[in-house]
């Protein structure tokens, strides 16, 4: 088990998604695709499109602060996971720090779709060395780097943000274990060059994603001193419902323990895990004492799993 002398607990959470809903039917008007294909192959029904990464992050962050009952001046840092920054320089976290009015450090984490779990892990490291409260956000506007004539990518993506307030506690806190992984020799599978559009080798990513999610989840569960039967809820990256199903099956976790929001939001990269986590909290699926597995994968390739015991 991870040895943590000063851990963290999530005390607030919030999301922001653009108002504009784009359905599969809408997409089938402008490109050669159908609602049936998209639903059957991905589980997506609709997605939200619009806004900027900083604007969505600010809105989600403000909602999380409100839920935690904290003022911006009580926050010691902003850790923003994003793969779609507003600009190359500065980091989008700077705009978010200014927009929310947090008088402290701010930095971006780019680990593609694994970004939120990376950011949450890094934030726990900051708590361990003295930070009191942090805002951890995943925010994306993948629609801005999407070629809307390329059906192989366009049907998958959506925009949105999710945020949590993480507060220090003496003792281990919620995080029981974490596992971060990367294999840069696979970076050609999913990429976006400067000024270009998102490209992915969907089939190859699918295959690799299931393997790395299963491996890292098994390692994180074991390091937490648990077995799969102890996992009450799984909050996976929302890239494809079939990837979630395959991972559940191989892990031996019943599918009804997996939180699914891909039907409403599509793939929102590093926002997808916090969007799903907040959905579980708002619908009462995640309760005090539950063991929750967060697990994701993405460009790099990167992957990340963490096990938390909720409450505290
Ligand atoms: N509508 C209709 N037909 C389509 C579409 C579409 N949007 N896209 C592809 N097709 C066709 C193909 O041309 C192909 O036709 P063919 O059999 O005549 O050649 C057929 O459908 C099957 O295509 P596949 O690529 O084999 O479809 P697959 O079942 O693999 O699904 C998908 C494709 C959804 C992309 C899947 O491979 C996947 O989800 N991969 C993982 C994606 C992922 O996780 N990406 C990482 C995160 S994304 C990010 O980081 C932003």
């Amino acid at each position: 088990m991870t040895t943590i002398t000063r851990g963290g607990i999530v005390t607030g959470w919030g999301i922001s998604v653009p108002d504009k809903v784009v359905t599969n039917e809408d997409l089938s008007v402008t490109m050669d695709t159908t609602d049936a294909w998209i639903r059957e192959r991905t589980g997506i029904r609709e997605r939200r499109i619009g806004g900027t990464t900083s604007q969505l992050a600010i809105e989600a962050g403000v909602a999380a602060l409100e839920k935690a009952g904290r003022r911006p001046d009580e926050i010691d840092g902003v850790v923003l996971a994003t793969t779609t920054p507003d600009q190359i320089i500065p980091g989008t976290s700077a705009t978010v720090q200014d927009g929310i009015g947090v008088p402290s450090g701010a930095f971006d984490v780019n680990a593609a779709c694994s970004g939120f779990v990376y950011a949450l892990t890094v934030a726990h490291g900051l708590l361990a060395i003295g930070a009191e409260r942090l805002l951890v956000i995943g925010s994306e506007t993948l629609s801005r780097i999407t070629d809307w004539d390329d059906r192989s990518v366009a049907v998958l993506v959506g925009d949105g943000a999710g945020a949590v307030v993480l507060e220090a506690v003496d003792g281990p806190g919620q995080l029981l274990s974490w596992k971060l992984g990367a294999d840069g020799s696979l970076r050609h599978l999913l990429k976006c060059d400067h000024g270009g559009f998102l490209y992915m080798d969907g089939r190859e990513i699918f295959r690799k994603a299931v393997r790395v999610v299963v491996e890292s989840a098994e390692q994180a569960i074991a390091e937490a001193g648990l077995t799969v039967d102890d996992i009450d809820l799984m909050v996976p990256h929302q890239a494809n419902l079939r990837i979630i199903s395959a991972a559940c099956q191989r892990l031996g976790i019943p599918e009804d323990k997996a939180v699914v929001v891909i039907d409403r939001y599509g793939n929102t990269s590093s926002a997808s895990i916090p969007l799903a986590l907040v959905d579980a909290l708002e619908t009462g699926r995640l309760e005090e004492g539950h063991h929750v597995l967060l697990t994701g994968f993405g460009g790099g390739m990167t992957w990340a799993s963490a096990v938390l015991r909720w409450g505290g």
Side-chain angles (χ1 to χ4, degrees), residues 34 54 104 116-117 126 132 139-140 145 168 176 226-227 234 276 294 301 308:
T34 62
S54 59
S104 64
F116 185 78
V117 182
L126 291 174
E132 287 295 337
S139 184
E140 300 283 5
I145 57 164
L176 302 184
L226 305 174
T227 69
M234 174 174 165
L294 311 183
M301 279 186 77
L308 290 84

Side-chain angles (χ1 to χ4, degrees), residues 16 50-62 78 80-82 84-87 90-100 108 135 137-141 144 159-163:
S16 175
T52 64
T53 294
S54 59
Q55 173 227 324
L56 295 170
I58 290 168
E59 288 168 6
V62 166
V78 176
L80 174 69
T82 187
T84 47
D86 288 356
Q87 297 160 280
T92 305
S93 50
T95 310
V96 175
Q97 172 272 324
D98 182 46
I100 298 179
D108 291 15
L135 201 46
I137 309 172
S139 184
E140 300 283 5
T141 45
R144 290 186 306 111
D159 302 333

Side-chain angles (χ1 to χ4, degrees), residues 4 44 71 95 132 151 156 177 229 264 290:
I4 300 172
I44 300 168
R71 297 184 311 271
T95 310
E132 287 295 337
R151 67 178 185 175
L156 304 174
S177 65
D229 294 337
R264 281 173 277 158
H290 271 176

Side-chain angles (χ1 to χ4, degrees), residues 214 234 243-255 257-258:
V214 169
M234 174 174 165
I243 294 179
I244 297 173
S245 302
C248 281
Q249 211 167 20
R250 292 195 196 176
L251 281 165
I253 294 179
E255 255 187 76
K257 287 188 178 178

Side-chain angles (χ1 to χ4, degrees), residues 93-164:
S93 50
T95 310
V96 175
Q97 172 272 324
D98 182 46
I100 298 179
V102 174
S104 64
F107 60 97
D108 291 15
V109 172
N110 180 351
C113 306
S114 318
F116 185 78
V117 182
Y118 266 76
L120 195 68
T121 305
V122 168
H124 276 86
L126 291 174
L127 297 184
I129 57 170
E132 287 295 337
R133 283 174 218 98
L134 299 164
L135 201 46
V136 185
I137 309 172
S139 184
E140 300 283 5
T141 45
L142 287 178
S143 67
R144 290 186 306 111
I145 57 164
T146 298
D147 175 357
W148 288 96
D149 292 324
D150 177 2
R151 67 178 185 175
S152 71
V153 174
V155 300
L156 304 174
V157 302
D159 302 333
V164 299

Side-chain angles (χ1 to χ4, degrees), residues 31-34 37-38 41-42 83 112-113 142 145 150-153 155-157 190 198 200-207 209 237 239-240 242-243 267-269 297-299:
M31 66 185 81
D32 183 17
T33 191
T34 62
W37 192 96
I38 302 170
R41 300 289 182 124
T42 72
T83 196
C113 306
L142 287 178
I145 57 164
D150 177 2
R151 67 178 185 175
S152 71
V153 174
V155 300
L156 304 174
V157 302
L190 176 57
L198 195 58
M200 72 174 80
D201 180 341
R203 271 185 228 181
E204 200 48 32
I205 292 172
F206 194 114
R207 261 196 294 275
H237 171 46
N240 189 318
R242 291 188 294 138
I243 294 179
N267 181 345
T268 56
S269 191
F297 65 91

Side-chain angles (χ1 to χ4, degrees), residues 143-194:
S143 67
R144 290 186 306 111
I145 57 164
T146 298
D147 175 357
W148 288 96
D149 292 324
D150 177 2
R151 67 178 185 175
S152 71
V153 174
V155 300
L156 304 174
V157 302
D159 302 333
V164 299
V165 175
L166 190 65
E167 304 209 17
V169 290
D170 288 331
Q174 290 178 337
L175 185 69
L176 302 184
S177 65
W178 53 275
K179 208 79 215 165
L180 307 181
D183 181 354
S185 72
L186 300 176
R187 61 190 182 278
H188 58 282
L189 294 182
L190 176 57
K191 60 178 189 167
C192 179
D193 293 324
H194 285 294

